[in-house]
């Protein structure tokens, strides 16, 4: 085995990957890592600036320690990002494969539905769905799952179509293989890597959307600690205590950069089918570009 | 059969010194140590024809492009390239751009990727005419376009001038590319596999066009190909290339009819329809 | 060209219909009893029946949909519960404000994205390339609300260079300069993500063109480096229009947050307020208008793409 070298390319994958794992671990280990109880606050200590004794990142409007809250909030925020991506991956793959293997009717049904869903800017759709539900982590997860599934379905569909016209499938069918075995052994191994790479690039986006929904009051609500919700809570203090108010914003930004860099690195390493450059139909190219960059 | 080294004075190919194009021990090396061209020397007299014949990877295209000063990214070039005495390698990019298109015309292999797909044919031609000062102003340039297309054998030149490249057939596209290459009356025309992307029927006509251009306008032709039939049809001098070197050099009938070098012989024998 | 446009218009119709269905269904499915909410407790028994009939809520869903759609097409989007005015009266001025902000952000996206992308394409392995890559990733990852808050904290509160919100100073002179001052921060906040995206795509596209056959052919014709670059940029630009619709999506998404944070009186803020007040007709009308506008602008993007790249028209 040739030893892996510490090249720039490898570092570009290892560093964000390690950071991402670190973030998840921190969130999981919140009870151990956070110095204070995130729900306990002393009003006498409200809105202390970062660097104050005992509170390295300051306190919020109710005197709760920000460092502890931010660490605990990681649980809700990362869940709000990772769970929808997982759900969308599974649901989208199933839908995409089903449409890819199905007849003309299923294909058209899927494509037209995707067209309609793509007619809404993503956040708008998330808002529309979330507003139907009672605020909470569940609302976030459900809304984002709905928003992300079509994108994954598209990727899975395109890959399935690509193999469908290959001869492996024909040969297997002719030899009497049942659909179930066929899908498991022929289709999934080819579709899965592409879908997984694409899905990994969605995590950053999902975390941002999840926090955004909470910020708008549609997702996780106070007093639960969640980065977007904290942003909303601290907003009134923006003009008077800006450095405290922007902390959740910085955290979300940092987390987003880490996951996006990881997704990019994975994508360039494994490579992906959809091209960056224009294709003949603007709509088809748009869809392809969405897969690459959304 | 002898595997003779190429004749360094190149009397057979170019004739007396003062040839139009002289290439002297040209070497081109790419990053990673790949020597695409190794010690190649050629000469071409005014109005003459020289065919660089070889398989893919033989370095023939690299020689052609290096003459133009476009060897590719990261290339390290050694040796000399002279056009009517002017050392092309000593020129900076600006001076070289004056030579390209004006004194040397280039017909690339695939007209689909060498013509700007976003502009019509006419404006592309007119632009080159104005750039080299052959036409003064837009109106004059535009007026000259149909005539130039006609010289390249384009039927209905007005329609073609108004067309986009993707609206034309392969043969018409290649003729448009040729018009672009000769529009400023160059002394030398370099054609890189000009017929490879074309149908057999069209191929012959394009090759005849080259012969006509040589006869009517006195343009010298440096043609790169892997196809022996093309080499035969063009005639003139043939330089057989292999692995970056010229292995045989001489008049077409002699080299292809009675080759000295074993490689050339193998090429000729491998040609479909060859007599054994 | 006209045939292409007509075809695209025709194809947009079923999409638009689907959009109206989704919008209608979303609001119709909201749990809760609007009639009870409207009347409040202590209403006489017959009032409920009367109101239900008057609002048409006793009709089957498809009939309600057709009715709503019919009204919407004539410009009647219902009455806002919280604003007590026709929804259309509230929406269209707000749309104008949003379009102003979106246009400003779009200019930033185009200028910044092309510049950053070109920087990366011209010297990919040099410092320019690395800066371009890093900034693009940073920009793409920058959630609009985070950026908005950071900008306010730094420029409005910290440095006091720019205003923290609104479209005009309350006691100011008004006019374009004032508007421009108020546009800067929100436009930047909304523009960052699409800018990063544009930079990435343009860098890839221009890089490919510069290294390709066309560039060499142009040089072989003797065109000067400036002209070669110009034509390469021209050939790299269709890629931008391909993702134009996507950028627009990111812009509009960002608008909801940016308008809320900067108190910009556009549709985004209107929607946010409507959601908070559970003003369903307003939410419905707002989402519909945004979605339709989105489809419309996408059509324009397709038209521009066909105008630049003739191969698309085929």
């Amino acid at each position: 085995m040739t030893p892996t070298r510490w090249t720039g390319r490898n570092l570009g994958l290892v560093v964000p990957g390690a950071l991402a794992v670190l973030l998840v671990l921190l969130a999981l280990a919140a009870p151990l890592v956070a110095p204070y109880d995130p729900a306990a606050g002393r009003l006498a200590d409200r809105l202390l600036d970062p660097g104050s004794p005992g509170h390295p990142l300051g306190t919020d409007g109710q005197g709760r320690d920000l460092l502890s809250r931010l660490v605990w909030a990681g649980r809700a925020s990362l869940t709000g990002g990772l769970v929808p991506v997982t759900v969308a991956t599974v649901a989208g793959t199933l839908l995409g494969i089903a449409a890819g293997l199905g007849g003309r009717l299923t294909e058209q049904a899927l494509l037209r539905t995707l067209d309609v869903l793509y007619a809404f800017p993503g956040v708008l759709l998330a808002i529309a769905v979330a507003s139907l539900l009672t605020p909470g982590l569940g609302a976030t997860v459900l809304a984002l799952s709905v928003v992300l599934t079509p994108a994954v379905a598209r990727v899975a569909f395109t890959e399935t179509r690509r193999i469908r016209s290959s001869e492996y499938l024909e040969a297997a069918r002719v030899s009497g293989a049942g659909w179930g075995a066929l899908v498991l052994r022929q289709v999934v191994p080819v579709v899965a890597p592409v879908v997984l790479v694409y899905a990994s690039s969605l995590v950053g986006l999902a975390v941002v959307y999840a926090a955004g929904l909470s910020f708008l009051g549609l997702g996780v609500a106070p007093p639960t600690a969640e980065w977007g919700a904290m942003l909303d809570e601290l907003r009134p203090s923006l003009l008077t205590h800006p450095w405290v108010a922007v902390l959740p914003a910085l955290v979300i930004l940092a987390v987003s950069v880490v996951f996006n860099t990881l997704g990019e690195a994975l994508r360039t390493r494994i490579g992906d089918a959809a091209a960056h450059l224009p294709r003949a139909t603007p709509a088809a190219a748009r869809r392809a570009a969405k897969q690459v960059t959304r | 059969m002898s595997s003779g080294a190429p004749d360094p004075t190149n009397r057979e190919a170019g004739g007396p010194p003062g040839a139009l194009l002289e290439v002297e021990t040209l070497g081109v090396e790419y990053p990673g140590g790949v020597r695409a061209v190794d010690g190649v020397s050629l000469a071409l007299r005014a109005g003459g024809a020289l065919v660089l014949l070889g398989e893919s990877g033989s370095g023939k295209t690299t020689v052609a492009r290096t003459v133009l000063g476009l060897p590719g990214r990261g290339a390290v070039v050694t040796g000399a390239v002279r056009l009517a005495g002017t050392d092309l390698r000593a020129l900076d990019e600006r001076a070289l751009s004056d030579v390209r298109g004006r004194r040397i015309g280039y017909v690339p292999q695939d007209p689909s990727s060498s013509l700007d797909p976003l502009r019509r044919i006419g404006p592309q031609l007119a632009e080159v005419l104005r750039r080299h000062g052959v036409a003064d102003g837009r109106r004059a340039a535009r007026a000259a376009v149909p005539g130039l297309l006609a010289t390249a054998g384009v039927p209905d030149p007005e329609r073609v001038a108004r067309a986009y490249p993707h609206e034309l057939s392969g043969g018409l596209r290649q003729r448009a590319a040729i018009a672009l290459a000769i529009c400023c009356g160059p002394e030398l025309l370099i054609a890189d596999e000009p017929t490879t992307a074309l149908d057999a029927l069209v191929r012959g006509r394009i090759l005849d066009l080259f012969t006509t251009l040589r006869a009517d306008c006195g343009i010298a032709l440096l043609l790169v190909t892997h196809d022996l039939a093309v080499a035969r049809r063009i005639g003139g001098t043939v330089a057989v290339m292999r692995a970056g070197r010229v292995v045989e050099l001489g008049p077409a009938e002699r080299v292809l009819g009675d080759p000295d070098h074993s490689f050339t012989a193998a090429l000729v024998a491998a040609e479909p329809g060859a007599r054994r | 060209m006209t045939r292409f446009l007509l075809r695209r218009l025709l194809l947009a119709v079923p999409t638009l219909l689907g959009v109206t269905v989704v919008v209608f269904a979303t609001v119709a499915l909201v749990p809760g009893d609007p009639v009870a909410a409207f009347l409040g407790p202590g209403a006489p028994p017959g009032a409920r029946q009367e109101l239900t009939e008057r609002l048409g809520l006793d009709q089957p869903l498809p009939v309600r949909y057709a009715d709503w759609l019919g009204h919407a097409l004539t410009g009647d989007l219902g009455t806002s519960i919280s604003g007590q005015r026709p929804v259309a009266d509230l929406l269209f001025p707000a749309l104008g404000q949003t379009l102003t902000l979106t246009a400003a952000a779009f200019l930033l996206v185009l200028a910044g994205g092309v510049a950053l992308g070109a920087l990366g394409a011209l010297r990919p392995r040099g410092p320019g390339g690395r800066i371009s890559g890093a900034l693009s990733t940073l920009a793409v990852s920058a959630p609009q609300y985070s950026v908005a808050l950071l900008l306010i904290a730094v420029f409005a509160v910290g440095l006091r260079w720019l205003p923290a919100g609104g479209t005009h100073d309350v006691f100011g002179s008004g006019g374009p300069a004032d508007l421009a001052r108020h546009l800067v921060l929100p436009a930047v906040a909304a523009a960052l993500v699409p800018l990063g995206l544009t930079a990435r795509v343009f860098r890839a596209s221009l890089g490919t063109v510069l290294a390709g056959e066309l560039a060499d052919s142009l040089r072989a014709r003797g065109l000067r480096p400036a002209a070669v670059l110009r034509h390469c940029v021209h050939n790299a630009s269709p890629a931008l229009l391909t993702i134009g619709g996507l950028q627009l999506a990111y812009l509009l998404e960002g608008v909801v947050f940016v308008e809320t944070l900067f108190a910009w009186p556009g549709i985004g803020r209107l929607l946010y307020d409507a959601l908070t007040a559970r003003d369903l007709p307003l939410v419905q009308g707002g989402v519909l208008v945004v979605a339709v506008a989105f489809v419309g602008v996408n059509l324009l993007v397709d038209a521009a793409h066909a105008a630049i790249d003739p191969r698309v028209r085929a």
Side-chain angles (χ1 to χ4, degrees):
Chain A
M1 281 273 273
T2 47
T4 333
R5 289 178 310 197
W6 291 115
T7 58
R9 272 190 87 203
N10 283 340
L11 272 178
L13 185 59
V14 166
V15 169
L19 283 173
V21 169
L22 188 64
L23 282 169
V24 174
L25 285 176
L26 263 178
L28 285 174
L32 303 170
V33 174
Y36 292 84
D37 179 356
R42 293 169 25 142
L43 282 175
D45 288 337
R46 51 196 300 273
L47 291 176
L48 292 174
D49 276 331
S52 310
H55 297 284
L57 290 180
T59 56
D60 69 356
Q62 293 182 23
R64 298 174 288 196
D65 176 45
L66 271 185
L67 176 60
S68 310
R69 290 215 95 210
L70 284 172
V71 172
W72 274 91
R75 297 186 147 198
S77 303
L78 287 175
T79 311
L82 291 168
V83 174
V85 172
T86 315
V87 171
T89 307
V90 172
T93 311
L94 287 173
L95 280 172
I97 293 185
L101 293 175
R104 190 109 206 275
L105 212 61
T106 12
E107 174 196 324
Q108 282 305 309
L110 178 73
L111 291 184
R112 293 306 129 228
T113 317
L114 284 182
D115 267 347
V116 170
L117 287 174
Y118 277 138
F120 293 90
V123 152
L124 211 60
L125 195 57
I127 291 177
V129 175
S131 58
L132 292 176
L133 310 161
T134 30
L137 194 52
T140 306
V141 168
L142 191 56
L144 288 181
S145 302
V146 169
V147 172
L148 295 174
T149 302
V152 178
R154 224 305 133 164
V155 174
F157 172 74
T158 313
E159 279 308 300
T160 310
R161 267 273 175 252
R162 192 183 298 231
I163 336 170
R164 180 184 177 158
S165 44
S166 88
E167 281 144 21
Y168 277 143
L169 228 54
E170 288 306 309
R173 284 286 289 159
V174 163
S175 69
W179 274 118
L182 197 69
V183 167
L184 272 178
R185 292 229 208 87
Q186 299 286 354
V187 177
V188 171
V190 176
V191 172
V194 180
V195 166
L196 283 173
V197 168
Y198 177 63
S200 67
S201 70
L202 289 177
V203 176
L205 194 70
V207 171
V208 167
Y209 274 7
L213 280 177
S214 305
F215 175 73
L216 293 174
L218 295 170
V220 175
T224 318
E226 201 269 353
W227 292 328
M230 288 172 69
L231 211 58
D232 194 31
E233 283 174 338
L234 288 166
R235 210 182 119 206
S237 322
L238 180 60
L239 296 179
T240 46
H241 296 81
W243 306 119
V244 167
V246 299
L247 275 176
L250 284 171
V251 170
I252 299 174
L253 181 59
V255 171
S256 174
V257 169
V258 166
F259 279 106
N260 279 346
T261 318
L262 180 60
E264 254 312 288
L266 275 174
R267 226 193 336 219
T268 35
R269 286 296 227 135
I270 304 187
D272 57 280
H276 287 286
L277 297 175
R279 290 210 242 131
T281 354
R286 235 211 323 276
R287 281 193 281 262
K290 268 190 192 239
Q291 290 171 35
V292 170
T293 47
R294 185 165 184 173
Chain B
M1 298 199 222
S2 62
S3 50
D7 176 8
T9 55
N10 296 310
R11 295 276 154 186
E12 282 192 321
L20 176 67
L21 177 69
E22 289 167 278
V23 174
E24 218 171 284
T25 49
L26 188 68
V28 180
E29 189 168 324
Y30 289 105
V34 179
R35 275 202 82 76
V37 177
D38 192 4
V40 167
S41 298
L42 306 161
L44 176 59
R45 60 167 169 65
L50 173 62
V51 175
L52 290 180
L53 178 67
E55 300 176 322
S56 14
S58 57
K60 54 195 198 300
T61 300
T62 313
V63 168
R65 293 176 78 112
T66 309
V67 168
L68 263 177
L70 296 172
R73 200 175 284 192
V76 175
V77 181
T78 51
V81 177
R82 280 188 291 273
L83 181 71
T86 316
D87 183 0
L88 291 183
R89 294 214 47 236
L91 298 178
D92 66 353
E93 193 59 26
R94 262 195 112 222
L96 254 183
S97 75
D98 286 332
V99 170
R100 294 184 198 126
R102 184 77 173 85
R103 301 183 64 194
I104 306 180
Y106 180 63
V107 181
Q109 177 171 340
D110 187 3
S112 319
S113 49
S114 66
L115 294 171
D116 189 336
L118 305 184
R119 287 187 294 157
R120 298 176 208 265
I121 302 289
Q124 295 191 48
L125 261 167
E127 179 187 31
V128 179
L129 290 173
R130 286 199 314 273
R131 154 66 178 106
H132 291 294
V134 170
D136 308 308
R138 291 177 183 267
R139 200 159 296 174
R142 224 173 339 160
V145 164
L148 286 164
L149 285 172
T151 317
V154 172
D156 197 356
E158 311 266 343
R159 182 187 71 89
V160 171
R162 277 196 307 271
Y164 286 99
H166 70 276
E167 295 171 343
L168 301 174
S169 68
L172 273 179
R173 277 202 286 266
Q174 192 60 299
R175 287 183 192 274
I178 293 173
L180 265 167
I182 62 166
C183 63
C184 299
E187 301 147 60
L188 169 65
L189 183 63
I190 302 181
D192 186 0
E193 309 248 24
T195 53
T196 307
L198 301 174
D199 303 328
L201 276 169
V202 182
R203 211 170 274 186
R205 294 202 209 115
I206 298 287
L207 293 175
D208 289 341
L209 175 61
F210 285 131
T211 312
T212 313
L213 287 171
R214 277 182 60 209
D216 293 350
C217 313
I219 302 179
L221 178 67
L222 174 64
L223 190 134
V224 174
T225 186
H226 64 272
D227 190 340
L228 278 97
V230 170
R232 265 189 243 278
R233 192 142 173 178
I234 292 289
T237 310
V238 170
V240 180
M241 284 193 67
R242 181 188 188 205
R245 301 207 178 126
V246 176
V247 298
E248 186 155 2
L249 182 64
E253 312 90 51
R254 209 266 307 147
V255 169
L256 300 175
D258 184 20
D260 276 342
H261 195 278
S262 51
F263 180 68
T264 319
L267 271 183
V268 173
E271 193 183 5
R275 285 173 295 126
R276 288 216 140 262
Chain C
M1 182 74 180
T2 26
R3 234 173 346 149
F4 171 81
L5 283 174
L6 278 171
R7 231 182 323 141
R8 287 291 292 121
L9 265 169
L10 238 65
L11 278 173
V13 171
T15 309
L16 281 171
L17 271 175
V19 164
T20 56
V21 170
V22 171
V23 172
F24 178 78
T26 313
V27 177
L29 290 173
V30 169
D33 188 355
V35 176
F38 206 72
L39 289 174
R48 195 197 152 77
Q49 177 68 16
E50 193 217 331
L51 188 58
T52 309
E53 272 175 31
R54 188 147 62 88
L55 291 177
L57 291 173
D58 53 343
Q59 305 276 16
L61 269 178
V63 174
R64 284 168 59 190
Y65 167 67
D67 193 49
W68 172 79
L69 186 62
H71 280 124
L73 285 172
T74 54
D76 176 11
L77 288 163
T79 311
S80 157
I81 296 176
S82 52
Q84 290 298 307
R85 292 166 60 195
V87 165
D89 284 0
L90 290 168
L91 277 181
F92 290 106
L95 187 62
Q97 295 287 3
T98 299
L99 286 177
T100 312
L101 178 57
T102 310
F106 183 67
L107 283 173
L108 277 177
V109 169
L110 209 55
V114 167
L116 194 58
L119 177 67
L122 288 171
R123 295 243 185 281
R125 273 173 261 278
R130 275 196 287 267
I131 294 177
S132 170
L135 284 179
S136 303
T137 305
L138 189 63
V140 164
S141 315
Q144 294 87 345
Y145 47 86
S146 282
V147 173
L149 283 174
L150 279 167
L151 287 176
I152 294 178
V154 172
F155 290 100
V157 181
L159 295 170
R160 293 194 174 279
W161 285 352
L162 291 164
T167 52
H168 293 85
D169 278 334
V170 179
F171 299 109
S173 49
D178 193 35
L179 182 64
R181 276 185 74 229
H182 282 85
L183 260 181
V184 172
L185 290 183
V188 170
L192 273 186
V193 170
L195 193 154
L197 179 60
T198 304
R200 264 200 200 152
V201 172
F202 192 63
R203 175 187 178 158
S205 177
L206 185 59
T208 308
V209 173
L210 282 173
E213 258 312 305
L214 179 62
D216 273 343
S217 294
L218 294 172
R219 288 183 202 117
R221 294 180 204 173
L223 295 178
R224 294 200 183 88
V228 173
L229 185 59
R230 196 168 24 99
H231 292 311
C232 285
V233 167
H234 187 198
N235 269 275
S237 49
L240 285 182
L241 285 168
T242 305
I243 57 154
L246 195 61
Q247 292 169 307
L248 209 61
Y250 283 127
L251 266 179
L252 283 175
E253 287 178 1
V255 150
V256 175
F257 295 107
V258 169
E259 287 184 358
T260 312
L261 284 163
F262 283 97
W264 190 267
I267 282 206
R269 200 176 74 150
L270 203 60
L271 264 175
Y272 177 63
D273 293 339
L275 274 170
T276 321
R278 289 244 178 251
D279 184 346
L280 294 179
L282 191 52
V283 172
Q284 202 170 30
V287 173
L288 182 67
V289 167
V290 172
V292 168
F294 187 54
V295 172
V297 181
N298 265 309
L299 267 176
L300 282 176
V301 169
D302 284 347
H305 193 185
I308 287 200
D309 189 346
R311 296 171 291 185
V312 160
R313 298 177 214 164

